[in-house]
Amino acid sequence: MEYAKPLAKLIRELEKMPGIGPRSAQRLAFYILRLPQEEARALSEAILEVKERITTCRRCFNFTEEELCPICRNPLRDPSLLCVVAEVRDLMAIERTQEYRGVYHVLQGVISPMDGVGVEQLRVRELLQRLQSEPIREVIIAMNPTIEGDATAHYLSKLIKPLGIRVTQLAHGVPIGGDLDYADQATLVSALEWRREL
Amino acid sequence: MEYAKPLAKLIRELEKMPGIGPRSAQRLAFYILRLPQEEARALSEAILEVKERITTCRRCFNFTEEELCPICRNPLRDPSLLCVVAEVRDLMAIERTQEYRGVYHVLQGVISPMDGVGVEQLRVRELLQRLQSEPIREVIIAMNPTIEGDATAHYLSKLIKPLGIRVTQLAHGVPIGGDLDYADQATLVSALEWRREL
């Protein structure tokens, strides 16, 4: 038996999502089929609403509903300390430690020639503009400990050091080959404490 | 930092889905945020469409876009052989073997007093009506090999046998404690072959 077309279509859309295989997509589709109408509508609308109302911060490229994100708008954050991350999920991981009081810059990826991602695809130009216009004393480069993350960190380090700004990296408390997003808070706290010159 | 409201709402909706924890929900939400507008719309619409267009078959409670499902409409299926399953996903698992040519009856659950599911919540009355009005020779009870599945199978067996209809169950080729939906096709084929009197 083939699935009815609308069901097959939903399964196809769900399968495109990261970490969702054919079997999970089927389970999720069946779950949605059994949802009360208003809950299915809430899910459907939440997807559209997030696309309509969330943009990226004009300064740091964090997600935001306004021109500047809540971190950039917060006068208590230290504008002289800048943490560079690849993705917003890495920013969120560091925020969960509640230990970091500086600001961020989201690169929107890492240098990855295999995936066709070069420096031009990342927010590197915007980072350099910030380093020239903002009172930044130190840049903490917080990349995932992968080949691409390391390459990106070294590239940025070479670019920033000549500007006379201190460049540090997170200590290797984060397990090699692991994912920043999955590190526990204690590991991230010690990685912040043990940061060193790059 | 708190998530922007529309993002927090989407994560909440995604977290309600089976097998989706807070971390997966966040990943999926970020994925949706980065989707091109038309793809996000396709996903959103697929959810609504599945709710609007898919109903359950008036005869067997399989999912369908019409009054009767494709299996009930198929004149090549043997109407004298009826397979009772708990959920549509179990029906799909058996269909994938391409060995079964009878029809189905979807109970829409199993007897589970802990979850407040009794016989009244299941499609048992409709099953008995079919046994009286259709030329059914044999009922294959294909429940998951769990306590609830076994209890439901025995309950149905006691109900059906007095009607003079043969009642069989799938052979225990399906691993105990496992899930019918996850069994491989070969296991399900042998389970069909080895069915025996209940």
Side-chain angles (χ1 to χ4, degrees), chain A residues 6 9-18 20 25 28-29 32 40-41 43-48 50-51, chain B residues 10 14 17 28-29 31-33 35-51:
Chain A
K9 191 186 161 212
L10 178 59
I11 292 172
R12 261 199 324 275
E13 295 294 334
L14 293 169
E15 265 180 17
K16 293 180 190 167
M17 301 207 285
I20 305 292
L28 294 178
I32 289 167
R41 185 166 294 279
L43 175 59
S44 169
E45 281 171 2
I47 289 166
L48 286 186
V50 95
K51 292 294 295 178
Chain B
L10 178 59
L14 293 170
M17 302 206 284
L28 294 179
Y31 163 81
I32 289 166
L33 256 175
L35 276 183
Q37 185 67 43
E38 63 273 27
E39 292 217 30
R41 186 166 294 278
L43 175 60
S44 169
E45 280 171 2
I47 290 166
L48 286 185
E49 217 177 320
V50 94
K51 290 296 293 178

Short mmCIF file of all heavy atoms in Angstrom, two decimals, chain A residues 6 9-18 20 25 28-29 32 40-41 43-48 50-51, chain B residues 10 14 17 28-29 31-33 35-51:
data_model
loop_
_atom_site.label_atom_id
_atom_site.label_comp_id
_atom_site.label_asym_id
_atom_site.label_seq_id
_atom_site.Cartn_x
_atom_site.Cartn_y
_atom_site.Cartn_z
N PRO A 6 -1.24 13.28 0.70
CA PRO A 6 -0.87 14.31 1.68
C PRO A 6 0.03 13.76 2.78
O PRO A 6 0.91 14.46 3.28
CB PRO A 6 -2.22 14.76 2.26
CG PRO A 6 -3.24 14.32 1.27
CD PRO A 6 -2.70 13.09 0.63
N LYS A 9 3.50 13.30 1.37
CA LYS A 9 4.14 14.62 1.22
C LYS A 9 4.68 15.10 2.57
O LYS A 9 5.82 15.59 2.65
CB LYS A 9 3.12 15.62 0.66
CG LYS A 9 3.77 16.93 0.23
CD LYS A 9 2.75 17.97 -0.18
CE LYS A 9 3.40 19.34 -0.15
NZ LYS A 9 2.43 20.38 0.21
N LEU A 10 3.87 14.95 3.62
CA LEU A 10 4.32 15.38 4.95
C LEU A 10 5.55 14.58 5.38
O LEU A 10 6.52 15.14 5.90
CB LEU A 10 3.18 15.20 5.97
CG LEU A 10 3.54 15.56 7.41
CD1 LEU A 10 3.98 17.02 7.53
CD2 LEU A 10 2.36 15.30 8.35
N ILE A 11 5.52 13.26 5.12
CA ILE A 11 6.68 12.42 5.49
C ILE A 11 7.92 12.90 4.75
O ILE A 11 9.00 13.01 5.32
CB ILE A 11 6.37 10.93 5.22
CG1 ILE A 11 5.29 10.43 6.19
CG2 ILE A 11 7.63 10.07 5.33
CD1 ILE A 11 4.77 9.03 5.92
N ARG A 12 7.76 13.22 3.45
CA ARG A 12 8.90 13.72 2.66
C ARG A 12 9.46 15.02 3.25
O ARG A 12 10.67 15.19 3.36
CB ARG A 12 8.46 13.99 1.22
CG ARG A 12 8.81 12.88 0.25
CD ARG A 12 8.79 13.35 -1.21
NE ARG A 12 7.77 14.31 -1.53
CZ ARG A 12 6.50 14.03 -1.86
NH1 ARG A 12 6.09 12.78 -1.89
NH2 ARG A 12 5.65 14.98 -2.16
N GLU A 13 8.56 15.93 3.65
CA GLU A 13 9.02 17.21 4.22
C GLU A 13 9.73 16.99 5.55
O GLU A 13 10.75 17.61 5.82
CB GLU A 13 7.84 18.17 4.42
CG GLU A 13 7.13 18.62 3.14
CD GLU A 13 8.02 19.48 2.25
OE1 GLU A 13 8.95 20.12 2.77
OE2 GLU A 13 7.79 19.49 1.03
N LEU A 14 9.19 16.09 6.36
CA LEU A 14 9.80 15.83 7.68
C LEU A 14 11.16 15.16 7.54
O LEU A 14 12.08 15.43 8.30
CB LEU A 14 8.86 14.96 8.53
CG LEU A 14 7.54 15.63 8.96
CD1 LEU A 14 6.60 14.60 9.57
CD2 LEU A 14 7.80 16.76 9.97
N GLU A 15 11.28 14.27 6.52
CA GLU A 15 12.53 13.55 6.29
C GLU A 15 13.69 14.47 5.95
O GLU A 15 14.85 14.11 6.12
CB GLU A 15 12.37 12.58 5.12
CG GLU A 15 12.02 11.17 5.54
CD GLU A 15 11.89 10.29 4.31
OE1 GLU A 15 12.37 10.68 3.22
OE2 GLU A 15 11.30 9.21 4.42
N LYS A 16 13.36 15.66 5.43
CA LYS A 16 14.43 16.61 5.06
C LYS A 16 15.13 17.18 6.28
O LYS A 16 16.22 17.72 6.18
CB LYS A 16 13.85 17.77 4.24
CG LYS A 16 13.31 17.40 2.88
CD LYS A 16 12.76 18.66 2.20
CE LYS A 16 11.98 18.36 0.94
NZ LYS A 16 11.23 19.55 0.48
N MET A 17 14.49 17.07 7.45
CA MET A 17 15.03 17.72 8.65
C MET A 17 16.23 16.94 9.19
O MET A 17 16.32 15.72 9.04
CB MET A 17 13.94 17.85 9.70
CG MET A 17 12.74 18.66 9.20
SD MET A 17 11.84 19.49 10.50
CE MET A 17 10.97 18.13 11.21
N PRO A 18 17.17 17.66 9.83
CA PRO A 18 18.39 16.99 10.30
C PRO A 18 18.08 15.97 11.38
O PRO A 18 17.32 16.25 12.31
CB PRO A 18 19.23 18.15 10.85
CG PRO A 18 18.25 19.23 11.17
CD PRO A 18 17.13 19.08 10.19
N ILE A 20 16.36 13.30 11.17
CA ILE A 20 15.07 12.63 11.01
C ILE A 20 15.15 11.66 9.82
O ILE A 20 15.20 12.09 8.67
CB ILE A 20 13.93 13.65 10.77
CG1 ILE A 20 13.87 14.71 11.88
CG2 ILE A 20 12.57 12.94 10.63
CD1 ILE A 20 13.46 14.21 13.23
N ALA A 25 10.36 10.04 10.51
CA ALA A 25 9.44 10.92 9.77
C ALA A 25 8.04 10.32 9.77
O ALA A 25 7.04 11.03 9.95
CB ALA A 25 9.94 11.12 8.34
N LEU A 28 6.50 10.77 13.24
CA LEU A 28 6.08 12.16 13.46
C LEU A 28 4.82 12.47 12.66
O LEU A 28 3.90 13.12 13.17
CB LEU A 28 7.21 13.12 13.06
CG LEU A 28 8.48 13.05 13.91
CD1 LEU A 28 9.53 14.03 13.38
CD2 LEU A 28 8.19 13.33 15.38
N ALA A 29 4.75 11.96 11.43
CA ALA A 29 3.57 12.21 10.60
C ALA A 29 2.33 11.59 11.24
O ALA A 29 1.26 12.21 11.28
CB ALA A 29 3.79 11.66 9.19
N ILE A 32 1.27 13.70 14.08
CA ILE A 32 0.58 14.92 13.62
C ILE A 32 -0.84 14.59 13.19
O ILE A 32 -1.78 15.33 13.48
CB ILE A 32 1.39 15.59 12.48
CG1 ILE A 32 2.67 16.21 13.06
CG2 ILE A 32 0.55 16.64 11.75
CD1 ILE A 32 3.70 16.63 12.02
N ALA A 40 -2.36 20.94 15.70
CA ALA A 40 -1.70 20.86 14.40
C ALA A 40 -1.58 22.27 13.81
O ALA A 40 -0.55 22.63 13.23
CB ALA A 40 -2.48 19.96 13.46
N ARG A 41 -2.63 23.06 14.00
CA ARG A 41 -2.61 24.43 13.50
C ARG A 41 -1.53 25.25 14.21
O ARG A 41 -0.81 26.03 13.59
CB ARG A 41 -4.00 25.08 13.67
CG ARG A 41 -4.12 26.46 13.07
CD ARG A 41 -5.58 26.89 12.97
NE ARG A 41 -6.33 26.08 12.02
CZ ARG A 41 -6.29 26.27 10.69
NH1 ARG A 41 -5.58 27.25 10.19
NH2 ARG A 41 -6.97 25.48 9.91
N LEU A 43 1.27 24.17 15.49
CA LEU A 43 2.58 23.77 14.98
C LEU A 43 2.82 24.39 13.60
O LEU A 43 3.88 24.97 13.34
CB LEU A 43 2.64 22.24 14.90
CG LEU A 43 3.90 21.62 14.29
CD1 LEU A 43 5.14 22.02 15.07
CD2 LEU A 43 3.78 20.10 14.24
N SER A 44 1.83 24.28 12.75
CA SER A 44 1.93 24.83 11.40
C SER A 44 2.19 26.33 11.43
O SER A 44 3.05 26.85 10.71
CB SER A 44 0.63 24.51 10.66
OG SER A 44 0.57 25.22 9.45
N GLU A 45 1.47 27.04 12.31
CA GLU A 45 1.63 28.50 12.39
C GLU A 45 2.96 28.89 13.02
O GLU A 45 3.55 29.90 12.63
CB GLU A 45 0.47 29.11 13.18
CG GLU A 45 -0.79 29.24 12.33
CD GLU A 45 -2.01 29.63 13.13
OE1 GLU A 45 -1.88 29.84 14.36
OE2 GLU A 45 -3.10 29.73 12.53
N ALA A 46 3.42 28.09 13.99
CA ALA A 46 4.70 28.40 14.64
C ALA A 46 5.82 28.38 13.62
O ALA A 46 6.77 29.18 13.70
CB ALA A 46 4.97 27.40 15.77
N ILE A 47 5.72 27.48 12.63
CA ILE A 47 6.75 27.38 11.59
C ILE A 47 6.75 28.64 10.73
O ILE A 47 7.80 29.22 10.45
CB ILE A 47 6.52 26.12 10.73
CG1 ILE A 47 6.84 24.88 11.55
CG2 ILE A 47 7.35 26.15 9.45
CD1 ILE A 47 6.34 23.57 10.95
N LEU A 48 5.55 29.08 10.33
CA LEU A 48 5.47 30.28 9.50
C LEU A 48 5.90 31.52 10.28
O LEU A 48 6.60 32.39 9.76
CB LEU A 48 4.04 30.48 8.98
CG LEU A 48 3.60 29.54 7.88
CD1 LEU A 48 2.22 29.94 7.38
CD2 LEU A 48 4.60 29.54 6.73
N VAL A 50 7.88 31.86 12.84
CA VAL A 50 9.31 31.96 13.11
C VAL A 50 10.04 32.52 11.87
O VAL A 50 10.97 33.31 11.99
CB VAL A 50 9.84 30.57 13.56
CG1 VAL A 50 10.42 29.77 12.43
CG2 VAL A 50 10.83 30.71 14.68
N LYS A 51 9.56 32.11 10.70
CA LYS A 51 10.17 32.62 9.46
C LYS A 51 9.84 34.09 9.26
O LYS A 51 10.64 34.85 8.74
CB LYS A 51 9.69 31.82 8.26
CG LYS A 51 10.18 30.39 8.20
CD LYS A 51 11.67 30.31 8.01
CE LYS A 51 12.11 30.86 6.66
NZ LYS A 51 13.58 30.80 6.52
N LEU B 10 8.01 27.81 18.75
CA LEU B 10 8.24 26.71 17.80
C LEU B 10 8.95 25.55 18.50
O LEU B 10 8.58 24.39 18.33
CB LEU B 10 9.06 27.21 16.61
CG LEU B 10 9.42 26.14 15.57
CD1 LEU B 10 8.16 25.49 14.98
CD2 LEU B 10 10.28 26.72 14.45
N LEU B 14 7.62 21.72 18.85
CA LEU B 14 8.40 20.59 18.33
C LEU B 14 8.72 19.59 19.43
O LEU B 14 8.73 18.38 19.21
CB LEU B 14 9.70 21.09 17.69
CG LEU B 14 9.54 21.91 16.40
CD1 LEU B 14 10.86 22.57 15.99
CD2 LEU B 14 9.02 21.05 15.25
N MET B 17 6.56 16.49 20.20
CA MET B 17 6.52 15.34 19.30
C MET B 17 7.28 14.16 19.89
O MET B 17 8.23 14.33 20.65
CB MET B 17 7.08 15.74 17.93
CG MET B 17 6.32 16.91 17.31
SD MET B 17 6.39 16.94 15.52
CE MET B 17 8.04 17.52 15.27
N LEU B 28 15.95 21.37 15.22
CA LEU B 28 14.93 21.42 14.17
C LEU B 28 14.47 22.86 13.96
O LEU B 28 14.28 23.30 12.83
CB LEU B 28 13.75 20.52 14.53
CG LEU B 28 14.06 19.02 14.58
CD1 LEU B 28 12.81 18.24 14.97
CD2 LEU B 28 14.59 18.52 13.25
N ALA B 29 14.30 23.60 15.07
CA ALA B 29 13.85 25.00 14.95
C ALA B 29 14.88 25.83 14.20
O ALA B 29 14.52 26.64 13.33
CB ALA B 29 13.59 25.58 16.34
N TYR B 31 16.99 24.70 12.05
CA TYR B 31 16.92 24.26 10.66
C TYR B 31 15.78 24.97 9.93
O TYR B 31 15.93 25.47 8.82
CB TYR B 31 16.72 22.74 10.62
CG TYR B 31 16.22 22.21 9.30
CD1 TYR B 31 17.09 21.99 8.24
CD2 TYR B 31 14.86 21.94 9.12
CE1 TYR B 31 16.62 21.51 7.03
CE2 TYR B 31 14.39 21.46 7.91
CZ TYR B 31 15.28 21.25 6.87
OH TYR B 31 14.81 20.79 5.67
N ILE B 32 14.63 25.05 10.59
CA ILE B 32 13.45 25.69 9.99
C ILE B 32 13.73 27.18 9.76
O ILE B 32 13.38 27.74 8.73
CB ILE B 32 12.20 25.47 10.86
CG1 ILE B 32 11.77 24.00 10.78
CG2 ILE B 32 11.06 26.39 10.45
CD1 ILE B 32 10.76 23.56 11.83
N LEU B 33 14.41 27.80 10.73
CA LEU B 33 14.76 29.22 10.59
C LEU B 33 15.61 29.49 9.36
O LEU B 33 15.52 30.55 8.76
CB LEU B 33 15.55 29.67 11.82
CG LEU B 33 14.79 30.50 12.83
CD1 LEU B 33 15.67 30.76 14.03
CD2 LEU B 33 14.35 31.82 12.22
N LEU B 35 15.58 27.61 6.60
CA LEU B 35 14.95 27.13 5.37
C LEU B 35 14.57 28.32 4.48
O LEU B 35 14.19 29.36 4.98
CB LEU B 35 13.65 26.38 5.69
CG LEU B 35 13.72 24.91 6.08
CD1 LEU B 35 12.29 24.40 6.27
CD2 LEU B 35 14.43 24.09 5.02
N PRO B 36 14.65 28.13 3.15
CA PRO B 36 14.07 29.14 2.26
C PRO B 36 12.57 29.26 2.57
O PRO B 36 11.94 28.27 2.96
CB PRO B 36 14.28 28.55 0.86
CG PRO B 36 15.33 27.50 1.02
CD PRO B 36 15.24 27.01 2.44
N GLN B 37 12.04 30.46 2.39
CA GLN B 37 10.64 30.74 2.73
C GLN B 37 9.69 29.69 2.15
O GLN B 37 8.80 29.20 2.84
CB GLN B 37 10.28 32.14 2.21
CG GLN B 37 8.88 32.62 2.60
CD GLN B 37 8.76 32.86 4.10
OE1 GLN B 37 9.65 33.43 4.73
NE2 GLN B 37 7.66 32.42 4.70
N GLU B 38 9.89 29.32 0.88
CA GLU B 38 8.93 28.41 0.23
C GLU B 38 8.98 27.01 0.83
O GLU B 38 7.98 26.30 0.87
CB GLU B 38 9.12 28.39 -1.30
CG GLU B 38 10.46 27.86 -1.80
CD GLU B 38 11.52 28.96 -1.88
OE1 GLU B 38 11.44 29.97 -1.13
OE2 GLU B 38 12.46 28.80 -2.67
N GLU B 39 10.16 26.60 1.34
CA GLU B 39 10.25 25.26 1.95
C GLU B 39 9.59 25.24 3.32
O GLU B 39 8.96 24.25 3.70
CB GLU B 39 11.71 24.83 2.06
CG GLU B 39 12.34 24.57 0.72
CD GLU B 39 13.31 23.40 0.78
OE1 GLU B 39 13.10 22.49 1.60
OE2 GLU B 39 14.28 23.42 0.01
N ALA B 40 9.75 26.34 4.07
CA ALA B 40 9.08 26.43 5.37
C ALA B 40 7.57 26.41 5.16
O ALA B 40 6.83 25.76 5.90
CB ALA B 40 9.51 27.69 6.09
N ARG B 41 7.13 27.11 4.12
CA ARG B 41 5.71 27.13 3.81
C ARG B 41 5.22 25.74 3.42
O ARG B 41 4.13 25.32 3.82
CB ARG B 41 5.44 28.15 2.69
CG ARG B 41 3.97 28.37 2.36
CD ARG B 41 3.75 29.61 1.51
NE ARG B 41 4.08 30.82 2.24
CZ ARG B 41 3.26 31.43 3.10
NH1 ARG B 41 2.05 30.95 3.30
NH2 ARG B 41 3.62 32.51 3.73
N ALA B 42 6.01 25.01 2.65
CA ALA B 42 5.63 23.65 2.23
C ALA B 42 5.45 22.75 3.45
O ALA B 42 4.48 21.99 3.54
CB ALA B 42 6.69 23.08 1.29
N LEU B 43 6.37 22.86 4.41
CA LEU B 43 6.27 22.05 5.62
C LEU B 43 5.03 22.43 6.42
O LEU B 43 4.25 21.57 6.85
CB LEU B 43 7.53 22.25 6.47
CG LEU B 43 7.57 21.56 7.84
CD1 LEU B 43 7.45 20.06 7.69
CD2 LEU B 43 8.86 21.91 8.58
N SER B 44 4.83 23.73 6.59
CA SER B 44 3.68 24.24 7.33
C SER B 44 2.37 23.77 6.70
O SER B 44 1.44 23.33 7.38
CB SER B 44 3.77 25.77 7.38
OG SER B 44 2.57 26.31 7.86
N GLU B 45 2.31 23.86 5.37
CA GLU B 45 1.08 23.49 4.67
C GLU B 45 0.86 21.98 4.68
O GLU B 45 -0.28 21.51 4.75
CB GLU B 45 1.11 24.01 3.23
CG GLU B 45 0.74 25.49 3.16
CD GLU B 45 0.97 26.09 1.78
OE1 GLU B 45 1.36 25.34 0.87
OE2 GLU B 45 0.75 27.30 1.65
N ALA B 46 1.94 21.22 4.61
CA ALA B 46 1.82 19.75 4.62
C ALA B 46 1.17 19.29 5.93
O ALA B 46 0.40 18.33 5.94
CB ALA B 46 3.20 19.11 4.45
N ILE B 47 1.48 20.00 7.02
CA ILE B 47 0.89 19.65 8.32
C ILE B 47 -0.61 19.90 8.31
O ILE B 47 -1.40 19.05 8.74
CB ILE B 47 1.59 20.45 9.45
CG1 ILE B 47 3.03 19.95 9.63
CG2 ILE B 47 0.80 20.37 10.76
CD1 ILE B 47 3.90 20.85 10.46
N LEU B 48 -1.02 21.07 7.79
CA LEU B 48 -2.45 21.37 7.75
C LEU B 48 -3.18 20.45 6.79
O LEU B 48 -4.28 19.97 7.08
CB LEU B 48 -2.67 22.82 7.32
CG LEU B 48 -2.34 23.88 8.36
CD1 LEU B 48 -2.73 25.25 7.84
CD2 LEU B 48 -3.06 23.58 9.68
N GLU B 49 -2.54 20.19 5.64
CA GLU B 49 -3.20 19.42 4.60
C GLU B 49 -3.46 17.99 5.05
O GLU B 49 -4.51 17.41 4.77
CB GLU B 49 -2.29 19.42 3.36
CG GLU B 49 -3.07 19.49 2.07
CD GLU B 49 -2.11 19.56 0.89
OE1 GLU B 49 -1.08 20.26 1.01
OE2 GLU B 49 -2.37 18.90 -0.12
N VAL B 50 -2.50 17.43 5.77
CA VAL B 50 -2.65 16.06 6.22
C VAL B 50 -3.84 15.97 7.19
O VAL B 50 -4.60 15.00 7.19
CB VAL B 50 -1.31 15.58 6.84
CG1 VAL B 50 -1.25 15.76 8.33
CG2 VAL B 50 -1.03 14.14 6.45
N LYS B 51 -4.02 17.03 7.99
CA LYS B 51 -5.14 17.03 8.93
C LYS B 51 -6.47 17.22 8.19
O LYS B 51 -7.49 16.67 8.57
CB LYS B 51 -4.99 18.17 9.95
CG LYS B 51 -3.87 17.97 10.95
CD LYS B 51 -4.11 16.76 11.83
CE LYS B 51 -5.31 16.96 12.77
NZ LYS B 51 -5.54 15.77 13.58
#
